[in-house]
Amino acid sequence: MQGIIDSHIHAYPAELAVDPVAWAAANGEPYWGGLVAASKLQDWAEPARMLADMDAAGVACCIVQGWYWQRQENCAAMNRWGAALARAHPGRFAALASVQPAAGDRAVDEVCRAFDDGCVGLGELHPAVQGWSLESAVWERIATICVERCQPVCFHATEPVGPDYAGKTETPLADYVALARRFPELKIVLAHWGGGLPFFMMNRWTAKTLRNVYFDTAASPLLYDSRVWAAAVNMAGAEHILYGSDYPLRVYPSRQSMAEMRLLRDEALAKLPEDTIEAVMRGNAQRVFGIA
Ligand SMILES: [Zn+2]
């Protein structure tokens, strides 16, 4: 299949890859520093290699997620970098913006600036790691701006059961459901198969509440066996599923010495029902992120 849109990759300026632990220490990002220091899965790719890996896998466009930085200054700096990356490669990359709502007015201003700068939504956000609440007044102002400007928000979603691993931090799924209920017009993307929420799309009340909520497949092989593809489209409806990889993470650690994009594409194409492929691999992302 040609023209895949990968809705969930990460990318960083080269200076972060040189010594991520030192960068994190110098820039007040202990969570990210700890995660990267502990990770055997993290790989790093500069734009030229990203584009080569995309071409090798038939990926036309990647949505570059921001990280859930703890400091607003880092969100702003990375947003400038992500927007510039997208501008340098039109049609190949689109950028989401990070924000730290605990920073108050500065966070609200940055959201508007990032959208003016071409970012196509917010993400990846993680309230528990960043230390803010989905019920805070600042967040509600930001969510209102996203609704007004028709911009989606992507949150990290953690599966509530299963083993503990480095960096695993709970994201109560009920909080996301409550947010969808308060902001029915807000397009919400819950990463990593929504932490299991697709199961509850079979509950009539929840399905109605989550009608504007989408689930991405980022890091799927690290968390679930390949039955998840068919099961999730069956439970949630294919129109709610967005293909995403979490590149440059090595999501098949025993089969990949470096991150690449083909193995996950092959799993998705082999396991998704044929009549859902166009929506999951491309069409839904165009609609949710408003890209042509
Ligand atoms: Zn995530």
Side-chain angles (χ1 to χ4, degrees):
M1 172 183 176
Q2 281 304 306
I4 292 167
I5 300 177
D6 184 331
S7 295
H8 191 134
I9 73 160
H10 290 277
Y12 301 99
E15 69 197 81
L16 272 71
V18 174
D19 188 346
V21 174
W23 182 90
N27 289 277
E29 294 291 346
Y31 180 85
W32 184 81
L35 203 63
V36 169
S39 177
K40 296 182 175 70
L41 308 174
Q42 185 71 52
D43 195 1
W44 306 88
E46 296 202 32
R49 186 184 140 202
M50 293 161 66
L51 288 163
D53 285 341
M54 290 161 68
D55 290 341
V59 174
C61 178
C62 283
I63 310 292
V64 180
Q65 302 264 349
W67 185 257
Y68 25 99
W69 303 113
Q70 290 168 275
R71 296 175 64 115
Q72 178 59 30
E73 308 86 280
N74 296 326
C75 293
M78 297 300 162
N79 294 348
R80 297 292 85 72
W81 183 85
L85 175 72
R87 271 196 303 277
H89 304 278
R92 303 303 311 272
F93 297 115
L96 298 185
S98 319
V99 67
Q100 165 53 291
D105 288 343
R106 286 192 301 139
V108 178
D109 292 345
E110 171 57 27
V111 167
C112 295
R113 178 165 180 196
F115 293 161
D116 291 342
D117 215 8
C119 290
V120 297
L122 298 183
E124 186 175 6
L125 306 184
H126 195 320
V129 164
Q130 295 179 292
W132 56 277
S133 161
L134 290 166
E135 296 183 351
S136 71
V138 174
W139 167 251
E140 300 221 330
R141 282 166 64 198
I142 291 171
T144 302
I145 292 168
C146 290
V147 170
E148 286 166 1
R149 298 189 60 158
C150 207
Q151 301 277 18
V153 183
C154 179
F155 292 100
H156 182 90
T158 305
E159 66 288 353
V161 295
D164 214 8
Y165 44 79
K168 184 171 181 178
T169 305
E170 267 190 52
T171 57
L173 300 181
D175 292 355
Y176 291 141
V177 175
L179 176 69
R181 195 169 182 209
R182 291 198 304 281
F183 287 90
E185 304 305 319
L186 178 64
K187 291 186 279 189
I188 298 171
V189 179
L190 299 178
H192 317 298
W193 295 111
L197 256 185
F199 176 85
F200 294 96
M201 293 291 277
M202 295 184 294
N203 173 291
R204 284 184 204 88
W205 182 90
T206 309
K208 217 172 144 193
T209 305
L210 302 187
R211 64 188 175 280
N212 217 2
V213 174
Y214 304 86
F215 309 101
D216 85 30
T217 70
S220 185
L222 291 174
L223 297 166
Y224 302 101
D225 79 46
S226 62
R227 289 172 300 164
V228 70
W229 298 88
V233 295
N234 186 15
M235 293 188 294
E239 67 277 17
H240 287 274
I241 308 295
L242 297 170
Y243 178 74
S245 62
D246 229 354
Y247 175 96
L249 219 54
R250 294 187 302 126
V251 295
Y252 297 94
S254 63
R255 296 167 68 194
Q256 292 170 323
S257 55
M258 298 167 74
E260 53 77 43
M261 295 182 173
R262 278 171 301 189
L263 285 177
L264 186 67
R265 171 206 62 185
D266 290 346
E267 180 181 318
L269 294 180
K271 297 297 179 179
L272 283 168
E274 183 72 34
D275 61 352
T276 68
I277 286 174
E278 164 62 27
V280 173
M281 306 298 286
R282 179 181 176 84
N284 294 341
Q286 287 182 306
R287 203 173 70 248
V288 170
F289 296 104
I291 53 180

